[in-house]
């Protein structure tokens, strides 16, 4: 009897500075789970990082640093491919084919662009077209599943729509991907403004928990987290966003159900103390592995090279098919984009 084909999983993260708990709980922990049962590819999306101003030296070192974080969080290069987006030029080639499939109306509706760039003449064109590059990242691998935080749901929907339109215009070329959004931790909120997501670009230093934070920093930030005045502990993200965020963080760190956890507390102090302690324990092994990797850059580069080879092989095959489908000259003319 032939074995059922494994689903393919693809997801990415921008190398834009320190990794925060939203990235870890919303994305990386599902990635670590996925690598055991699926064919998984994870991508450090450095081209996306160019959509906002970033120092070249910083981009280079952030890219290596992000690879270390992915390994420290539990990705295993024996089970998945970890690679750098710009090292697989098929992503940008496919973006053009997809930009000629997506519409201005669709991109105009992307809320992340509305929040970050709308109405500002000096905003980069790349920030506007970023969701199409993200669609190419996914469709180049014919990924079945894309594990992401809730903030990426709209971009995923766009990738699906582009794939469906391309397939119906040019024939079956792309797999239409599904999002994989975790039940808890899909939207980690800012500790100071719990109605907004924890985010590198908008959270204040007190509102964001970094994976590199010391136990003292975690304790201080969690104790100062904004809650409310009624001192009752129950899970209701709409009416009690701050308390619900703490319950979710504690639930993610301990594996316990948030409603059950809520019944254990009658005031905020103990909830905050337990949350800080659980998060410190959650991050302890990650921080220890980061230390181990800090002197082993050659190993990290080797992992990325292995990932690049695997990713290039898959992406080239899809790009060949897509190019021929739209009527471009045969694949031979595009093989070896980037000289490999
Ligand atoms: N607050 C969050 N809760 C749950 N998941 C989150 N993700 C990001 N923030 C949260 C998920 O992390 C993955 C990588 O996202 P990214 O590349 O957009 O990372 P980022 O730039 O670090 O995300 P930020 O902090 O949200 O940056 P801004 O706001 O500056 O763009 C994705 O799967 C994302 O869903």
């Amino acid at each position: 009897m032939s074995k059922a084909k494994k689903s393919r999983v693809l997801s990415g993260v921008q190398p834009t500075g320190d990794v925060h708990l939203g990235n870890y709980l919303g994305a990386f922990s599902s990635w670590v789970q996925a690598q055991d049962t699926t064919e998984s590819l994870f991508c450090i999306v450095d081209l996306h990082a160019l959509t906002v101003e970033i120092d070249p030296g910083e981009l280079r070192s952030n890219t290596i640093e992000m690879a270390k974080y992915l390994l420290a969080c539990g990705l295993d290069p024996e089970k998945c491919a970890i690679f750098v987006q710009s090292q697989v030029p098929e992503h940008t080639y496919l973006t053009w084919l997809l930009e000629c499939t997506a519409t201005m109306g669709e991109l105009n509706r992307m809320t992340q662009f509305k929040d970050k760039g709308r109405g500002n003449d000096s905003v980069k064109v790349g920030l506007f077209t970023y969701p199409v590059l993200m669609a190419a990242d996914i469709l180049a691998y014919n990924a079945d599943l894309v594990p992401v935080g809730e903030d990426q749901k709209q971009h995923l929907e766009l990738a699906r729509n582009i794939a469906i339109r391309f397939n119906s215009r040019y024939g079956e070329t792309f797999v239409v991907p599904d999002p994989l959004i975790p039940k808890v931790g899909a939207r980690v909120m800012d500790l100071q403004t719990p109605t907004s997501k924890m985010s590198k670009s908008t959270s204040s230093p007190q509102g964001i928990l970094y994976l590199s934070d010391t136990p003292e920093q975690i304790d201080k930030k969690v104790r100062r987290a904004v809650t409310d005045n009624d001192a009752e502990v129950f899970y209701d993200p709409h009416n009690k966003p701050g308390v619900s965020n703490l319950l979710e963080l504690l639930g993610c760190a301990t594996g316990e159900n948030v409603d059950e956890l809520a019944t254990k507390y009658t005031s905020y102090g103990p909830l905050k103390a337990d949350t800080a302690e659980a998060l410190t324990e959650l991050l302890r092994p990650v921080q220890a592995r980061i230390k181990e990797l800090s002197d082993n850059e050659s190993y990290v580069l080797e992992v990325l090279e292995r990932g690049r080879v695997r990713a290039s092989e898959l992406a080239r095959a899809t790009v060949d098919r897509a190019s021929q489908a739209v009527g471009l000259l045969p694949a031979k003319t595009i093989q070896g984009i980037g000289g490999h």
Side-chain angles (χ1 to χ4, degrees):
M1 212 165 61
S2 69
K3 275 209 263 175
K5 193 175 161 283
K6 277 186 178 178
S7 306
R8 190 174 291 159
V9 161
L10 179 289
S11 198
V13 59
Q14 296 189 60
T16 42
D18 268 347
V19 185
H20 59 76
L21 210 59
N23 302 135
Y24 183 66
L25 300 176
F28 301 171
S29 39
S30 348
W31 299 5
V32 171
Q33 277 176 23
Q35 68 180 346
D36 286 324
T37 51
T38 65
E39 182 188 0
S40 303
L41 297 113
F42 301 110
C43 181
I44 299 171
V45 289
D46 53 349
L47 295 172
H48 286 280
L50 294 173
T51 56
V52 292
E53 208 48 58
I54 183 162
D55 175 75
E58 211 176 300
L59 178 57
R60 262 191 297 275
S61 64
N62 283 352
T63 302
I64 305 284
E65 208 50 32
M66 183 55 79
K68 288 182 188 165
Y69 267 104
L70 295 180
L71 293 166
C73 288
L75 288 189
D76 177 351
E78 299 301 323
K79 299 179 179 173
C80 66
I82 306 170
F83 67 100
V84 177
Q85 180 191 36
S86 63
Q87 296 187 341
V88 184
E90 280 76 7
H91 288 235
T92 43
Y93 184 94
L94 185 57
T95 299
W96 181 251
L97 301 189
L98 302 185
E99 279 184 5
C100 296
T101 305
T103 66
M104 288 292 288
E106 279 174 320
L107 292 191
N108 265 324
R109 286 192 288 277
M110 295 295 114
T111 52
Q112 217 174 71
F113 181 74
K114 284 186 195 167
D115 295 344
K116 285 186 175 175
R118 173 68 33 97
N120 175 358
D121 270 355
S122 61
V123 79
K124 296 183 195 319
V125 174
L127 191 66
F128 182 66
T129 57
Y130 160 121
V132 186
L133 177 58
M134 179 170 156
D137 299 337
I138 299 164
L139 301 185
Y141 299 94
N142 279 318
D144 303 290
L145 292 169
V146 186
V148 283
E150 213 171 75
D151 58 326
Q152 293 298 332
K153 213 169 154 185
Q154 195 189 30
H155 291 161
L156 233 297
E157 197 53 41
L158 176 75
R160 285 173 58 82
N161 290 338
I162 292 175
I164 291 168
R165 191 172 314 134
F166 191 103
N167 287 349
S168 80
R169 170 73 180 81
Y170 300 112
E172 281 307 305
T173 307
F174 299 119
V175 168
V176 180
D178 280 312
L180 187 65
I181 295 178
K183 286 198 177 70
V184 277
R187 194 169 172 81
V188 174
M189 306 308 270
D190 182 306
L191 296 178
Q192 289 299 311
T193 317
T195 45
S196 306
K197 73 160 190 164
M198 189 177 282
S199 152
K200 253 178 282 184
S201 55
T202 55
S203 291
S204 68
Q206 296 315 316
I208 188 162
L209 282 162
Y210 293 110
L211 299 202
S212 57
D213 278 348
T214 62
E216 293 71 31
Q217 286 170 318
I218 295 172
D219 192 64
K220 200 165 162 188
K221 289 179 186 179
V222 173
R223 281 182 197 276
R224 290 186 180 171
V226 166
T227 44
D228 51 45
N229 292 327
D230 69 13
E232 268 188 278
V233 179
F234 59 91
Y235 184 71
D236 178 352
H238 185 68
N239 294 306
K240 291 181 79 71
V243 174
S244 302
N245 192 35
L246 292 177
L247 284 168
E248 281 218 26
L249 292 176
L250 182 57
C252 286
T254 59
E256 290 182 62
N257 172 282
V258 286
D259 290 311
E260 280 168 27
L261 274 175
T263 63
K264 294 186 184 170
Y265 298 96
T266 50
S267 63
Y268 297 157
L271 170 64
K272 288 182 169 180
D274 285 358
T275 304
E277 198 184 317
L279 292 176
T280 300
E281 288 315 310
L282 179 76
L283 297 185
R284 197 183 297 282
V286 176
Q287 293 179 351
R289 283 200 291 274
I290 279 287
K291 237 188 210 153
E292 283 164 22
L293 288 165
S294 63
D295 293 330
N296 207 349
E297 195 163 306
S298 58
Y299 168 69
V300 177
L301 292 174
E302 200 186 294
V303 167
L304 293 177
E305 174 57 13
R306 248 205 285 167
R308 181 194 72 75
V309 170
R310 175 67 183 138
S312 298
E313 185 190 337
L314 294 171
R316 209 172 307 144
T318 316
V319 165
D320 274 357
R321 259 203 325 280
S323 311
Q324 287 183 54
V326 301
L328 301 178
L329 280 182
K332 270 189 192 137
T333 57
I334 58 159
Q335 260 172 10
I337 309 168
H340 55 263

